Amino acid sequence: MDPVAICNMALGWLGHSRITSFEDASAEAELCSDNFEAAVRAALAVRAWLFATGFRVLAPSAASPRADLPLKWTVPGDVVSVRAVDDGAGDFSVKFLKAGQAIYTEDTGTTSIIAEVTEYHGNPALWDPNFVRCVAALLASDLAVPLTEGTTMQERMEKKYIRELDKAGRIESMQASPKQLKVIKASLK
């Protein structure tokens, strides 16, 4: 599976012509090129996808302007969301706030923290097949108005996206320990 194949899945659901690359001279290719990465990042951000879960060790980057969260840590650009932060105790209970590509934490008394994150993987071959369907449905929703010049298909694709997310969540919940299952269920709310 590659980005063009995912876009073609979305275009097919909309009843539009397939593309061979993002450089094709067509409205479909231009829209797919413009919207693909944003759709992937948006779909990653809505839940705790197991395939995209990672752990990053972060070092402090600067003082925080917030008195309640005095430490600032830089989050790498391939991190879409931060789910939990640990100071080494192993309970991932550090209070934090993510803003842009930084997180702000309470004073941990440590020189590094461990962040449980959702990572952006640019290679669709690494993605869960159900995530691929979610991206395609979200992309179809994003492309529907410019390609169909109406909102009916967009609404259908938004509903399809929600159904695909629900299905993916149910399937992923069968592949996790009870502790991880609590994280997954919380991300579905």
Side-chain angles (χ1 to χ4, degrees), residues 73-127:
W73 315 78
T74 299
V75 177
D78 65 334
V79 170
V80 175
S81 61
V82 176
R83 299 187 218 146
V85 175
D86 186 57
D87 58 5
D91 59 5
F92 285 86
S93 63
V94 173
K95 180 180 166 186
F96 76 96
L97 169 73
K98 182 176 184 289
Q101 287 308 117
I103 57 173
Y104 301 89
T105 68
E106 59 194 351
D107 191 351
T108 60
T110 62
T111 58
S112 66
I113 57 171
I114 301 166
E116 180 181 0
V117 301
T118 299
E119 300 172 326
Y120 175 82
H121 298 285
N123 180 357
L126 301 174
W127 300 352

Side-chain angles (χ1 to χ4, degrees), residues 19-92:
I19 62 173
T20 57
S21 79
F22 286 156
E23 288 77 35
D24 288 1
S26 69
E28 289 88 352
E30 183 178 344
L31 287 165
C32 284
S33 176
D34 290 348
N35 289 280
F36 183 77
E37 186 174 342
V40 173
R41 287 182 175 273
L44 281 168
V46 298
R47 60 176 321 245
W49 296 97
L50 294 177
F51 82 92
T53 298
F55 295 89
R56 299 292 180 93
V57 176
L58 305 178
S61 62
S64 167
R66 298 178 53 116
D68 62 329
L69 299 172
L71 299 177
K72 180 181 177 183
W73 315 78
T74 299
V75 177
D78 65 334
V79 170
V80 175
S81 61
V82 176
R83 299 187 218 146
V85 175
D86 186 57
D87 58 5
D91 59 5
F92 285 86

Side-chain angles (χ1 to χ4, degrees), residues 104-177:
Y104 301 89
T105 68
E106 59 194 351
D107 191 351
T108 60
T110 62
T111 58
S112 66
I113 57 171
I114 301 166
E116 180 181 0
V117 301
T118 299
E119 300 172 326
Y120 175 82
H121 298 285
N123 180 357
L126 301 174
W127 300 352
D128 181 283
N130 294 296
F131 176 73
V132 168
R133 292 184 59 81
C134 290
V135 170
L138 182 56
L139 188 59
S141 172
D142 291 344
L143 303 179
V145 171
L147 291 177
T148 66
E149 299 180 7
T151 59
T152 302
M153 185 60 79
Q154 180 188 35
E155 291 167 3
R156 286 183 191 158
M157 291 299 108
E158 285 174 349
K159 288 177 183 174
K160 181 170 186 55
Y161 171 62
I162 298 300
R163 286 192 310 270
E164 294 294 340
L165 275 175
D166 181 59
K167 180 173 68 173
R170 285 183 276 118
I171 291 169
E172 272 202 335
S173 72
M174 295 184 287
Q175 302 177 48
S177 66

